Amino acid sequence: MKLVAGVLALALTAEGAAAADLALERVYSAPDLSGPRARGVALSPDGTLVTYLRARADNPRVTDLWAADVAGGAPRRLIDSAALIPGERVLSEAEKSRRERQGVQTSGVVSYDWDDEGRFILAPVEGDLWLWSRSDSSLRRLTDTPDDEIDARVSPRGGFVSFVRGDNLWVAPSGGGDARALTQDGSELQSWATAEFIAQEEIDRQTGYWWSPDETRIALTRTDLSGVDVVERLDVNAAGAVIVAQRYPRTGRPNARVELFVASLSGGAPVRVDLGADADVYLARVDWSRDGRTLYVQRQSRDQKRLDLLAVDPADGRSRILLTETSAHWVELSDDFRPLKDGTFLWSSERSGWKHLYLHGADGRPIRQVTQGDWPIDALQGVDETRGVAFFTANRDTPVERRLYEVSWKRPAPPKAITPAGGWWTVKVAGRGTAFTGTYEDPATPPRTGLYRADGSRVRWVEENALDSRHPMAPYRDRLPAPEFGTLKAQDGSDLWWSLRKPPGFDPSRRYPVVVKVYGGPGSAQVRKVWNDPADLLYLQSGFLLFSLDNRGTPNRSQAFKTAIDRRLGQLEVGDQIAGARWLAGQSFVDPARIGVTGWSYGGYMTLMLLTAPDTPFTAGVSGAPPTDWTLYDTHYTERYMGKPSENPAGYAASEVTARLGRLKPDSLLLLHGMADDNVTFDNSTRVMANLQARGTAFEAMVYPGLRHRAGWTQANLMHRTRTTLDFFRRKLGTGTVQPTNPK
């Protein structure tokens, strides 16, 4: 085994470099090459103020809270995080884990919460809570304790602030006064109002409590972790190592037991909600009706082939099933449930073979299908109940573009596009459906955010981020290639979308090496018309082609396309990616002997599977944080696609990496992993290392002390990872000119 050191850098000399070549160091220094971005964009409840998170100009890893008046004027900073971050504060393990689950990559103001009346904004800053009052723009500190206050929010009418501290739920008057614990017997193993690991990591439920609209009740979870296996992992950091006894529910093993209660702010014992006789289920979603008289609960079976929508009486906890979705494969969760004032509700389903919107009556019976066709909606984004119109995003024209549409649920009619085609839209519709904030991007347009009326006309820019002469990317703009998009056929005839980017000064008479950037797993598509990572230009100007392909199992397609991988992870995806590589090898400008592959997480797994496929067309690969044995991964994710190990032993055996390592070519692998990863635990990589060492197969590795799967990576960490990866591909695949050492 070779340990790649930082000194094995890119030989970043200026030899042969053009004047506008991008230096590695510039990619990871301020200001951000992608320009200023508005993250966490929200519209105040009265529709007059847009708020968002913006990275500091002097440090792109720290974010402040900003606001812009809808009527016009320059944006202004509401909360300066640099003035509030305590110098010696160390986040708790619970908060670190929460940020890891949410993929939070910054510090400072990383989230905030409006009340429904638009009077307050609550902002956690590194473990303590601050309340901004709109009436006088004052900022008041609410907590100053050694414990972290997590999952904090303002109650719907602004009367209270709530948060979890010490595994109990606390509430405090927003106008001032002492906080009180609504629950008092919470512990690490028996916690209140906290989303467990599976809920946060896989179910996309980031909270464990829900306010009623009138602020008189709170629905909250009671989570019992005592039956979950303790997986001891070594958390290695620069100063040493500690053993973390993590409650990690591996596939086929016990999950946390989650109960739901309704607590009254006036006191009394919480009311237990009847979730059914089977305790081994997932609490997927919880919502209140508009009048607060009904609590809606989505309950998913352990095998994920059934999803029930329950209507609960919050006074006594009794429940009844309103509707049930079933699938021979799995029922995907969403946030598309929307209760309406008249008791009806909107719901999304793949019952037609494509994900579409449906209108249901208060009794749960279907009234009509609202959208239809051979294309899927992405997500329900909002409603205008006055007009009876739903707003949704969808990949209707093509899987590589996303737009906002509106459709009536009262009068059948084709959807109407609100935003133009050509790229990728991310939107947030205001509560009344009269306006939305939209962020647009495409390969030539960095993310730019504006406020728009419901008809799509722009009211104002929130963050224009124009790629003009003042933009950080301006010196390198002419070197950005226009990606090519196309399709090739899978074995079953499905269209597989691909993208290809060529180096600056591309010469079709030459043969180039290729780096295939892969993810390949369910839930994430790589081939989209979006603004690409500026670091990709380092590969392009080094002489690499960049190629990506979305195999079967990836999203934005039909149910049949997504579920083709059912019970056989690592099989069809690998075949599709190899088909893409063989297509590449047939292009006159590609050197078929110099095709590399790299990916992180599922992409790291795919990299290992591709390098060890029989007669692989890949010469070398960089695998980052790969799951290598699905029996080591968690219940909800793994069992959704593979079932339990006892139910699908052949599928688990075929998907396992180490049994294939005898086919790995010596010196063809660079393995990367964070040594504090609590998602894809480090033993996924150490078992590969041990196996290859026992075989005498040479490989390279780089491990990162103290770093987890997503969160916590600094600019220096990311720069080192890119440098190491680029150096490996330069040595294994060979390129032409290199980027200079000094930033431009």
Side-chain angles (χ1 to χ4, degrees):
M1 166 182 161
K2 298 176 182 177
L3 186 65
V4 180
V7 294
L8 289 179
L10 292 174
L12 298 175
T13 67
E15 178 185 353
D21 269 3
L22 176 63
L24 175 71
E25 294 87 346
R26 177 62 191 89
V27 174
Y28 298 103
S29 59
D32 190 335
L33 282 173
S34 294
R37 303 191 202 190
R39 298 180 173 90
V41 184
L43 195 62
S44 63
D46 63 2
T48 62
L49 193 67
V50 179
T51 49
Y52 58 99
L53 301 176
R54 183 180 185 182
R56 299 180 65 86
D58 58 350
N59 188 344
R61 307 293 282 185
V62 179
T63 44
D64 299 328
L65 181 63
W66 284 69
D69 291 312
V70 170
R76 62 189 186 276
R77 183 161 51 191
L78 299 185
I79 300 180
D80 180 352
S81 61
L84 306 180
I85 296 176
E88 303 300 322
R89 185 64 176 260
V90 177
L91 294 176
S92 67
E93 184 66 24
E95 179 62 11
K96 289 179 183 178
S97 296
R98 178 179 169 82
R99 293 190 180 194
E100 170 64 25
R101 304 284 81 77
Q102 296 177 345
V104 174
Q105 301 284 359
T106 60
S107 59
V109 183
V110 299
S111 64
Y112 65 96
D113 185 56
W114 277 100
D115 70 295
D116 289 352
E117 302 295 326
R119 296 185 296 158
F120 303 107
I121 294 177
L122 180 68
V125 180
E126 303 306 290
D128 283 319
L129 304 180
W130 299 77
L131 191 70
W132 180 80
S133 297
R134 191 174 183 184
S135 60
D136 58 4
S137 295
S138 64
L139 184 64
R140 178 164 52 92
R141 186 170 193 159
L142 296 181
T143 64
D144 186 4
T145 68
D147 297 323
D148 286 344
E149 286 76 37
I150 65 174
D151 193 11
R153 69 190 77 156
V154 186
S155 60
R157 295 180 178 177
F160 301 92
V161 169
S162 54
F163 54 87
V164 177
R165 180 201 290 161
D167 299 301
N168 285 300
L169 181 62
W170 293 68
V171 295
S174 59
D178 294 335
R180 65 184 177 95
L182 203 61
T183 64
Q184 298 181 343
D185 61 343
S187 65
E188 184 178 356
L189 294 182
Q190 303 277 343
S191 63
W192 285 99
T194 303
E196 75 278 13
F197 175 93
I198 285 296
Q200 294 181 41
E201 180 64 37
E202 308 298 358
I203 298 178
D204 197 24
R205 174 170 65 78
Q206 303 299 324
T207 187
Y209 71 96
W210 301 264
W211 280 95
S212 66
D214 61 3
E215 298 186 346
T216 62
R217 295 182 173 113
I218 299 179
L220 71 166
T221 59
R222 173 73 162 174
T223 303
D224 182 357
L225 296 176
S226 59
V228 179
D229 292 344
V230 175
V231 175
E232 291 189 343
R233 59 178 178 84
L234 196 62
D235 192 333
V236 182
N237 54 61
V242 295
I243 295 178
V244 177
Q246 182 177 347
R247 296 278 174 170
Y248 191 104
R250 284 179 167 165
T251 180
R253 299 294 300 155
N255 271 321
R257 289 291 186 262
V258 181
E259 298 177 292
L260 185 65
F261 291 80
V262 178
S264 172
L265 262 66
S266 62
V271 174
R272 185 176 181 274
V273 171
D274 179 11
L275 295 179
D278 185 1
D280 194 12
V281 295
Y282 295 107
L283 179 69
R285 299 287 186 272
V286 178
D287 295 276
W288 286 91
S289 63
R290 300 287 290 276
D291 59 11
R293 295 178 181 177
T294 304
L295 186 68
Y296 296 105
V297 178
Q298 294 183 44
R299 176 186 66 191
Q300 188 181 46
S301 61
R302 172 73 183 253
D303 65 8
Q304 300 177 59
K305 295 181 179 182
R306 178 185 175 111
L307 177 66
D308 296 316
L309 176 65
L310 308 179
V312 177
D313 184 340
D316 59 19
R318 289 185 298 177
S319 65
R320 56 190 175 91
I321 297 176
L322 282 183
L323 68 82
T324 296
E325 292 281 347
T326 60
S327 170
H329 305 285
W330 60 81
V331 180
E332 291 197 354
L333 300 174
S334 76
D335 292 310
D336 298 331
F337 171 68
R338 192 63 55 93
L340 304 173
K341 289 180 181 178
D342 62 3
T344 62
F345 60 88
L346 293 170
W347 177 264
S348 67
S349 170
E350 291 186 298
R351 65 189 68 155
S352 70
W354 299 85
K355 183 182 177 184
H356 281 296
L357 285 176
Y358 294 80
L359 178 67
H360 287 257
D363 59 1
R365 295 179 181 178
I367 297 175
R368 68 178 60 94
Q369 185 172 345
V370 179
T371 63
Q372 52 192 314
D374 291 344
W375 50 271
I377 74 161
D378 164 60
L380 177 63
Q381 301 292 349
V383 298
D384 180 344
E385 293 204 52
T386 301
R387 294 195 294 140
V389 167
F391 298 92
F392 65 93
T393 44
N395 308 86
R396 188 184 182 197
D397 303 321
T398 166
V400 301
E401 298 180 13
R402 187 169 73 186
R403 304 169 71 183
L404 178 67
Y405 297 83
E406 71 168 34
V407 66
S408 172
W409 68 72
K410 294 182 177 179
R411 294 176 297 278
K416 174 185 175 182
I418 302 299
T419 57
W424 200 266
W425 283 87
T426 302
V427 305
K428 188 166 185 178
V429 175
R432 299 181 181 90
T434 56
F436 67 92
T437 56
T439 298
Y440 174 80
E441 58 184 304
D442 63 38
T445 308
R448 56 196 318 188
T449 302
L451 174 67
Y452 299 83
R453 299 180 184 90
D455 62 4
S457 59
R458 190 175 69 243
V459 177
R460 65 159 296 161
W461 287 115
V462 176
E463 197 71 85
E464 184 177 6
N465 197 16
L467 187 50
D468 54 24
S469 60
R470 298 169 296 176
H471 195 278
M473 186 59 89
Y476 320 105
R477 177 175 50 190
D478 294 339
R479 301 182 70 77
L480 292 174
E484 299 172 16
F485 294 87
T487 62
L488 56 88
K489 294 293 184 181
Q491 286 187 342
D492 66 355
S494 300
D495 285 332
L496 305 177
W497 280 84
W498 55 260
S499 67
L500 177 67
R501 286 174 283 168
K502 298 174 180 177
F506 172 77
D507 181 354
S509 67
R510 289 181 53 195
R511 286 183 176 267
Y512 289 82
V514 186
V515 172
V516 176
K517 299 186 71 176
V518 66
Y519 182 74
S524 181
Q526 294 283 92
V527 183
R528 301 178 298 156
K529 291 184 179 179
V530 297
W531 175 255
N532 293 296
D533 185 347
D536 289 351
L537 185 52
L538 299 172
Y539 291 82
L540 295 168
Q541 68 187 23
S542 293
F544 294 109
L545 298 165
L546 287 178
F547 180 81
S548 288
L549 178 140
D550 283 341
N551 48 252
R552 282 172 288 177
T554 53
N556 310 326
R557 304 294 295 274
S558 68
Q559 185 190 47
F561 185 90
K562 294 188 297 182
T563 60
I565 62 172
D566 191 11
R567 301 306 185 263
R568 46 181 175 169
L569 292 185
Q571 298 182 46
L572 293 184
E573 315 100 286
V574 170
D576 289 350
Q577 292 293 335
I578 287 177
R582 298 206 186 283
W583 178 85
L584 276 173
Q587 306 306 302
S588 62
F589 51 84
V590 170
D591 185 343
R594 294 191 294 163
I595 300 178
V597 59
T598 185
W600 193 264
S601 195
Y602 202 102
Y605 168 69
M606 287 290 290
T607 297
L608 290 172
M609 296 293 282
L610 291 167
L611 289 176
T612 55
D615 301 319
T616 180
F618 293 98
T619 303
V622 179
S623 171
T628 60
D629 181 342
W630 289 108
T631 65
L632 301 179
Y633 205 56
D634 69 50
T635 52
H636 194 270
Y637 184 94
T638 314
E639 292 172 14
R640 184 188 320 157
Y641 309 116
M642 294 288 283
K644 295 179 180 179
S646 61
E647 301 164 347
N648 184 22
Y652 275 85
S655 68
E656 200 264 342
V657 169
T658 58
R660 305 162 57 98
L661 291 177
R663 292 195 292 263
L664 183 73
K665 301 170 187 175
D667 292 313
S668 65
L669 171 66
L670 168 61
L671 189 62
L672 310 173
H673 213 127
M675 300 181 78
D677 197 327
D678 65 345
N679 180 9
V680 180
T681 50
F682 191 44
D683 53 346
N684 279 274
S685 281
T686 56
R687 61 198 303 277
V688 171
M689 297 177 190
N691 187 288
L692 291 175
Q693 290 163 353
R695 294 177 182 274
T697 303
F699 69 101
E700 299 181 18
M702 178 59 69
V703 295
Y704 290 90
L707 294 183
R708 302 194 181 209
H709 198 63
R710 290 179 290 246
W713 290 75
T714 66
Q715 296 298 91
N717 298 143
L718 295 171
M719 182 170 70
H720 187 276
R721 196 169 92 186
T722 300
R723 183 192 300 272
T724 303
T725 301
L726 263 170
D727 170 67
F728 179 81
F729 280 131
R730 287 184 51 77
R731 289 185 286 109
K732 300 302 178 183
L733 303 180
T735 61
T737 59
V738 298
Q739 59 269 23
T741 301
N742 297 320
K744 291 289 190 287

